Structures are given as C-alpha cells and as structure tokens.
Amino acid sequence: MKIYIIGASFAGVSCGVHARELYPDAEITIIEKNPIVGFLPGGLLLYLQNKFENLNDAVFTTKKQLEEQRINVKLSETLFDCDPEKHEITTSKNTYHYDKLILANGSEQKSLNIGLEDDDEWDPSFKNYDLSNKILAQIKNASTIAIIGAGQAGMEAASTFVDLNKTVHLIEAMDYPLFKYFDPDFLKPFLAALKKTPNVHFHFNTTVTEVTKNEQYEILLGEQKIASDHVLTTVNVHPQLAKFTKKFKLHSDNTIQINDYLETSAQDVFAVGDLIHSPVRIREEGAYLPQINHAVRSGVVAAENLLQTQMKFKGGLRTIGTKVFDWYLASTGLIEEEAFVYSGEVATKSFTQNASLVDKTPIYCKAVFEKASKKLLGMQLLSQTNCLEKINTAALAIENEVTLAELMQNDYFFQPEFTNVMEPLNRINMGSETRHAF
Ligand SMILES: Cc1cc2nc3c(=O)[nH]c(=O)nc-3n(C[C@H](O)[C@H](O)[C@H](O)COP(=O)(O)OP(=O)(O)OC[C@H]3O[C@@H](n4cnc5c(N)ncnc54)[C@H](O)[C@@H]3O)c2cc1C
C-alpha cells in the first residue's frame, strides 16, 4: 500500500507515525513544502526566549527520526495538483500514484486586507519556518512592534517582546483579549495587571484599516496612527486553500468536508488537522478547531481508518493553556459568552482558591454547567502560579459528562505543599450558582 501524506507538521507526522505502526509493510511518504519537518508554530518566540539555540531546533521531530521509522520525507516539495480519479498527485518536483492520500497541509495566518499584504516582500505572519527565518533579523532589531490580533498567539508574542524590552502595540477588534476562551468578567484581575505592565499599549475595540511603509511602518486605526519598526499579524488561522483542495467538497468557511472517519468526498483521500471542520463534544454543530492536540488526534484517527472505517473522530473541546505576562491561563469547553450555542440552559459558578496550603497564590476558577443536569460544560482557570494541568482533568470530566455532584466526590491527592484542602473541581458543587440570562 502506497500512502502519501501532504504536510509534515502535527497532523501529517502523527498520521505517518501511527500508520507505520499499523501497516508495517506500507510505503509511507510525507511531502512538505518547507525545508524542515515539524516546525513549532511558536518556534520564533521560543527561539527569541533562548529556549532553543537555533531557530531550526524549534521542531517536535526531524527528518532523520522519521526516516529511522521507514517514513520517506520529501522536503522543499509542494503539492500542486491532485487527480482523485487517477489516484495521482503532482508536486513541484514529480508525479506520484497513491493508494491512500492524507491531506494535512494545515492552515495559514494571512487573512488581513491591510494594504501591504500584496507585497511579496512583506508577510507579517510567523507560523512556519521560512517566514520565521525571514523576519527574525527585523524582529531582533526592532524597538517597537505592532501586533494585530490579541488571541493566544498575539498575547504570547506581546509577552515575549515586552520581556525583550521592546515596546508593543497590541491591536484587537474585540474589547478584550483571548475572547474565544475566556469570559471578560473572569479576566478582570489579569486585565487590571496588564494595564500596569510597562511598554505595552493595548488598542481594544480597534480595527486596522491600512498599513503603509516609509522609514517605519505606519498603522492606521481609523483616525489614529501608530508608527512601529515591525508589524506582525496573529489573527485567526484559516485552511491553506491551494488549488488542489478545491477539488474536494468544502464547507462555506473553506474547511474540507469530512465524514465521521475523516474521509473527504473523494475515495481514498482523508483530510486532517487545521483543514477540517470538527465535531465539538458539547454542541450540536461542529466548529473549526485549529489546535495542535486536535491535529495530532485527527492524524492518528485517519491512520486507523485507512484500510477500513473503524474509528469515528470525536473532535475536541478547544482546550488551551498558556503563560503570558507572568499569568497562567487555561480554558476548556463552553464559556458563558457563547452559551447561546448550547441547546440547554446554562449556569455558572466562580470562585477563588489558594494554590496550596503553602503557596497562597490565588487560582481563579469559573465553571460553566448545564442548569438542569448539572453536567460540567466548561472551565476557565487563571493564576500567577502554574495551575495549567488542572484544565486537563476538567476536559476529561466534560468529555465523560460528569456532573458537579460526581466531581465533588472525585478522588485527588492531598499534600500541603502542592494542594489545598479541596481541589477546585471538588468545590464546584458548593456555593451559589449564577443563572445564565439566555
Ligand atoms: C503563532 C501560532 C502559535 C500557535 N500555538 C499553538 C499552541 O501553543 N497550541 C496549540 O494547540 N495550537 C497552537 N497553534 C495552532 C497550531 O499551529 C495548529 O493548530 C497546528 O499547527 C495544525 O497542525 P496541522 O498539522 O494541521 O497543520 P500545519 O501545522 O499548518 O502544517 C501544515 C504543513 O503542511 C505544509 N504544506 C502546506 N501546503 C503544502 C503543499 N501544497 N505541499 C506540501 N506541503 C504543504 C506546511 O508547510 C506545513 O508544514 C498556533 C498557531 C499559530 C499561528
């Protein structure tokens, strides 16, 4: 069996590695347009934080490691066309015939219509290795950087640059950052701290209308104008819409339509990772979930289904965890602001707990749950101590439709240096609830 995979990032690599385990005799080839495999999307920031010696060390696997598993890797080669009838693909270098094809060519961040976008010399995003490498020197030399988009990537970039003593302008159309994952009321302590952070200027409720370049970049925000040495966009990603992807049935948001088993509209062609619209475990309609864990799991499930459809893809919960401006933030499942997407009535509980009996740093917690059944639907955590791992337990509880009463009895370890008398998830069932207005 000849398996061809397009894209050597999280979805493609995890599919290839699992396919190797499942089909020892298959010939597996991954085709990647970049010169390296497995580049981390935040690799540029990690390199600037001195977490890696070289930019090309910011990877989660290497060509050599994949080849040791008998996976062929073709780098700097781009898929141009695909003929599903003939089971044929054409790349920048060759034509190949496949038995099974997995599209794992992911997403890009370029979506703003801000003037310079058409200029070949200027691409303000940094998700892949080539772009990160290209803008590295400019970033290092810049003393002022404008960032467009205050989602996870934008906040991580802003935090990194402030640590490097740069002045940052963070521009966001919404009225607060990280809006996909947190309710605005919940972020109050964090937002209050951000206001006092030196060298960072937040422009919320603000849209960039144009970017021009003279000696510096000039960013027009309606009447206001900002000058900066560099501009980065960290807006939402969207699927890489190459010519060949248009040969498959697409949703209106340009994601590739797949069935429960990740098969596309063409026989023997699967789509995974940031290309697809996925089931979300707490809502009836699916959503676009451009996240690494989601990409990896979809790659693994596609490998399971190559010979026969045997494993449904369950989708995800949009679980995130990050550290920005010395705060740890984590979220999973439904937030109160989007309660309207849930078919039942929703209620919430918010409380604060010290990290442990020794570490008195508060952990702010907010739980979202179904009013009638008291099933947990979502959880948000915020602290200046590392509480991120707790979000995974909340995600597991949501996935298993656990109620607050059941969570109250869940067994956690106690050790005064690391825990409080009660774990946040044990506590959710206590205290008064806030009924959601919808
Ligand atoms: C700045 C930034 C930081 C992020 N940080 C996080 C994080 O911390 N945690 C998290 O969960 N998510 C994060 N994300 C989201 C995450 O990057 C994506 O969800 C994930 O990379 C998707 O993996 P994928 O394999 O589907 O696609 P991608 O990672 O987009 O990979 C697609 C691959 O296909 C290649 N390719 C594309 N077209 C072709 C072609 N025609 N021929 C050959 N090769 C092709 C590309 O070069 C690329 O290597 C971040 C995103 C950004 C932009």
Side-chain angles (χ1 to χ4, degrees):
M1 176 167 62
K2 283 190 177 174
I3 302 172
Y4 278 83
I5 301 170
I6 312 305
S9 182
F10 299 98
V13 167
S14 59
C15 182
V17 168
H18 195 49
R20 168 52 69 231
E21 286 165 0
L22 295 173
Y23 319 108
D25 299 328
E27 188 184 312
I28 303 175
T29 306
I30 306 186
I31 294 172
E32 166 57 49
K33 72 176 178 185
N34 263 277
I36 67 171
V37 164
F39 184 67
L40 299 172
L44 175 68
L45 303 181
L46 292 168
Y47 170 72
L48 290 168
Q49 292 162 16
N50 290 324
K51 303 262 166 66
F52 291 105
E53 207 171 305
N54 298 300
L55 184 62
N56 54 7
D57 293 337
V59 294
F60 68 90
T61 189
T62 61
K63 182 177 194 288
K64 185 163 173 271
Q65 284 170 337
L66 293 173
E67 286 174 345
E68 279 166 5
Q69 297 176 66
R70 294 185 295 115
I71 296 172
N72 308 315
V73 181
K74 293 177 183 292
L75 296 178
S76 302
E77 185 164 342
T78 305
L79 179 66
F80 283 152
D81 211 352
C82 168
D83 185 342
E85 296 281 301
K86 292 189 190 157
H87 280 50
E88 183 182 278
I89 51 173
T90 311
T91 70
S92 47
K93 295 189 179 162
N94 222 326
T95 296
Y96 305 97
H97 288 92
Y98 62 83
D99 295 306
K100 304 287 172 184
L101 175 67
I102 296 96
L103 301 176
N105 51 295
S107 62
E108 56 188 353
Q109 248 181 327
K110 219 163 105 170
S111 68
L112 278 184
N113 184 13
I114 50 173
L116 285 172
E117 197 72 19
D118 293 335
D119 184 344
D120 280 350
E121 288 300 301
W122 194 70
D123 189 329
S125 57
F126 62 95
K127 186 175 173 218
N128 69 37
Y129 173 75
D130 274 350
L131 287 172
S132 299
N133 207 18
K134 199 167 141 189
I135 62 182
L136 189 55
Q138 297 156 30
I139 296 271
K140 275 189 171 166
N141 295 332
S143 57
T144 310
I145 300 180
I147 299 172
I148 306 171
Q152 185 182 345
M155 291 295 279
E156 287 176 1
S159 175
T160 304
F161 297 142
V162 167
D163 283 348
L164 292 170
N165 289 323
K166 297 181 191 295
T167 299
V168 173
H169 289 277
L170 188 51
I171 305 149
E172 166 61 50
M174 297 294 289
D175 54 1
Y176 70 105
L178 297 163
F179 71 93
K180 274 202 260 172
Y181 312 102
F182 297 95
D183 290 313
D185 64 338
F186 179 71
L187 288 185
K188 270 183 189 158
F190 173 64
L191 297 176
L194 285 190
K195 275 193 187 155
K196 294 185 198 146
T197 309
N199 296 337
V200 56
H201 306 276
F202 293 98
H203 306 265
F204 295 128
N205 262 326
T206 306
T207 310
V208 174
T209 44
E210 199 183 356
V211 179
T212 53
K213 179 147 183 7
N214 294 310
E215 281 187 6
Q216 280 186 304
Y217 288 94
E218 285 189 341
I219 302 116
L220 282 184
L221 313 171
E223 302 287 291
Q224 201 190 344
K225 194 188 277 179
I226 295 170
S228 110
D229 300 319
H230 201 78
V231 180
L232 286 175
T233 60
T234 50
V235 294
N236 290 337
V237 293
H238 57 90
Q240 300 242 21
L241 248 207
K243 188 175 133 205
F244 64 87
T245 40
K246 292 180 188 152
K247 298 212 164 145
F248 306 93
K249 279 193 185 155
L250 302 177
H251 291 286
S252 55
D253 63 358
N254 286 329
T255 48
I256 295 184
Q257 288 189 22
I258 36 117
N259 64 12
D260 288 346
Y261 303 95
L262 299 164
E263 292 171 308
T264 67
S265 53
Q267 201 181 356
D268 296 321
V269 184
F270 295 73
V272 290
D274 275 12
L275 281 181
I276 60 172
H277 193 89
S278 289
V280 182
R281 297 182 202 172
I282 38 166
R283 48 200 260 182
E284 278 153 32
E285 283 191 3
Y288 186 48
L289 297 175
Q291 290 192 312
I292 289 168
N293 182 278
H294 175 266
V296 170
R297 285 183 290 105
S298 63
V300 168
V301 172
E304 289 279 342
N305 290 323
L306 290 183
L307 284 188
Q308 53 183 357
T309 50
Q310 56 181 2
M311 187 183 279
K312 285 188 178 179
F313 182 53
K314 287 165 72 178
L317 280 173
R318 207 183 48 191
T319 307
I320 70 147
T322 188
K323 183 187 178 198
V324 287
F325 297 105
D326 291 329
W327 287 78
Y328 295 87
L329 297 114
S331 165
T332 187
L334 198 73
I335 59 171
E336 189 179 6
E337 287 281 298
E338 58 172 8
F340 61 90
V341 302
Y342 188 70
S343 50
E345 194 178 352
V346 160
T348 65
K349 271 186 190 176
S350 300
F351 53 93
T352 306
Q353 197 167 36
N354 291 348
S356 76
L357 289 181
V358 173
D359 176 0
K360 308 284 184 200
T361 316
I363 301 178
Y364 302 94
C365 313
K366 177 168 179 175
V368 178
F369 53 93
E370 192 177 66
K371 172 108 182 111
S373 67
K374 294 235 164 59
K375 267 189 324 200
L376 187 67
L377 299 174
M379 186 87 184
Q380 297 163 61
L381 298 172
L382 170 67
S383 183
Q384 285 185 290
T385 194
N386 189 350
C387 59
L388 298 182
E389 192 53 38
K390 294 182 194 304
I391 207 69
N392 290 330
T393 315
L396 190 63
I398 298 169
E399 201 174 309
N400 289 302
E401 306 199 342
V402 176
T403 65
L404 305 197
E406 286 164 340
L407 281 171
M408 190 168 73
Q409 294 224 43
N410 220 42
D411 190 11
Y412 294 93
F413 79 91
F414 170 77
Q415 208 282 350
E417 198 181 336
F418 303 108
T419 68
N420 212 313
V421 175
M422 270 201 148
E423 264 297 301
L425 283 172
N426 284 143
R427 252 191 75 175
I428 304 177
N429 200 35
M430 301 171 188
S432 60
E433 66 194 47
T434 316
R435 206 172 144 169
H436 193 82
F438 286 100

